[in-house]
Amino acid sequence: MYNLNQKVAIVTGGASGIGLEISRTLARHGAIVHIFEVNPDLAEREADLINANGGVAYAHRVDVSRQEEVVKKVAKINELHPISILINNAGISHIGTVESTTEADLDKVYNVNIKGAYNCLHAVIPFMKANGGGAIVNMASIAASVGLPDRFAYSMSKGAIRAITFQVAKDYISFNIRCNCISPARVHTPFVDGFLKKTYPGKEAEMFENLSKTQPIGRMGKPEEIAALTVFLVSEQAGFITGSDYPIDGGFITLNN
């Protein structure tokens, strides 16, 4: 349904969890996918698997918090193929209130979640302007819209992503650049499984069920569902959509309040 044939896409954090599924789905729809990851071995492995399954993907070791790295890599990619899609997915979490969150904690979250997205936007948008337009999807969270217990730094960062989305959409609409964000609730990824194994050894199944029930719909989201929405938002079928936040949350925002 969505033809992304030969469109060049950058996916940050594109070799694990939600980002990996986005990379795979973009490739299945014909996009040339460039995976930005701090773990080069993981990025290479997943890019190879995408290529083996008929897609086109390239792996890049990039720390999105370092602007010089991002700018150089983006320029090299655009020299080969004009960039038309950016998925700002890379992010880290943190547990803590404003009291327990240290300055170092806050800086770490800021550098990846906020500065990382800014660095990629800063590097990519000039090329999108020169290329005649593009589509951007930023990964926000339900934490940008509602309070979550013990998620001060994370919620702050995702609130910033939501605001960044609106601002970029406003500033670049005349350049045919669309910018939207997605706000997932809890999504079942290997990160969740690892967290449960580490935190609740022997009680993984029970705690998984408890976490699932915190979503009004009764289950966690699937990475494939986030990826499907992402592909729609960067496709021509979403050409009339910009400056919007899309909760994909099993009713969490509306039905829990």
Side-chain angles (χ1 to χ4, degrees):
M1 182 176 177
Y2 307 125
N3 181 10
L4 303 178
N5 189 37
Q6 297 300 300
K7 289 186 178 293
V8 175
I10 293 174
V11 184
T12 70
S16 63
I18 293 171
L20 173 58
E21 197 58 44
I22 291 172
S23 296
R24 290 170 173 170
T25 307
L26 287 170
R28 281 199 298 272
H29 285 83
I32 299 169
V33 179
H34 292 266
I35 297 172
F36 282 14
E37 272 286 351
V38 292
N39 184 335
D41 294 335
L42 179 63
E44 289 283 357
R45 184 187 76 191
E46 297 301 342
D48 288 346
L49 288 171
I50 289 172
N51 293 325
N53 283 289
V56 180
Y58 299 92
H60 305 274
R61 195 280 176 200
V62 179
D63 181 346
V64 295
S65 71
R66 298 182 178 275
Q67 186 172 111
E68 186 176 0
E69 277 188 34
V70 174
V71 168
K72 287 182 177 179
K73 188 63 67 174
V74 166
K76 286 182 179 179
I77 291 170
N78 197 77
E79 282 179 10
L80 298 174
H81 307 282
I83 298 166
S84 56
I85 296 169
L86 171 64
I87 312 298
N88 270 318
N89 169 77
I92 59 174
S93 188
H94 179 265
I95 297 174
T97 65
V98 69
E99 292 177 280
S100 61
T101 300
T102 67
E103 183 178 17
D105 294 332
L106 191 69
D107 287 345
K108 185 177 180 181
V109 172
Y110 165 82
N111 282 333
V112 177
N113 293 12
I114 301 176
K115 187 181 176 186
Y118 151 74
N119 283 339
C120 293
L121 292 164
H122 181 77
V124 168
I125 283 178
F127 291 114
M128 285 187 171
K129 288 168 65 178
N131 297 339
I136 299 165
V137 172
N138 299 319
M139 198 60 61
S141 166
I142 57 169
S145 300
V146 296
L148 300 178
D150 297 323
R151 293 295 189 278
F152 172 74
Y154 179 76
S155 296
M156 173 208 70
S157 71
K158 293 305 181 179
I161 289 297
R162 192 167 182 262
I164 285 169
T165 298
F166 299 157
Q167 189 62 48
V168 168
K170 183 75 170 179
D171 286 342
Y172 295 99
I173 191 169
S174 62
F175 294 97
N176 193 32
I177 297 172
R178 297 185 299 105
C179 186
N180 296 288
C181 63
I182 294 174
S183 287
R186 184 171 282 115
V187 177
H188 184 200
T189 64
F191 175 85
V192 172
D193 293 332
F195 169 78
L196 293 176
K197 185 176 181 179
K198 179 181 178 180
T199 311
Y200 304 102
K203 296 184 178 180
E204 292 92 340
E206 176 187 348
M207 293 309 300
F208 181 85
E209 184 69 15
N210 290 342
L211 290 175
S212 297
K213 288 178 179 177
T214 63
Q215 323 298 306
I217 208 168
R219 66 170 176 86
M220 297 187 197
K222 301 174 183 177
E224 302 94 305
E225 292 169 323
I226 313 303
L229 178 55
T230 303
V231 169
F232 165 68
L233 288 174
V234 301
S235 72
E236 292 182 3
Q237 283 79 3
F240 198 56
I241 301 173
T242 191
S244 294
D245 173 32
Y246 279 78
I248 180 164
D249 64 354
F252 191 96
I253 292 175
T254 303
L255 304 182
N256 270 347
N257 289 282

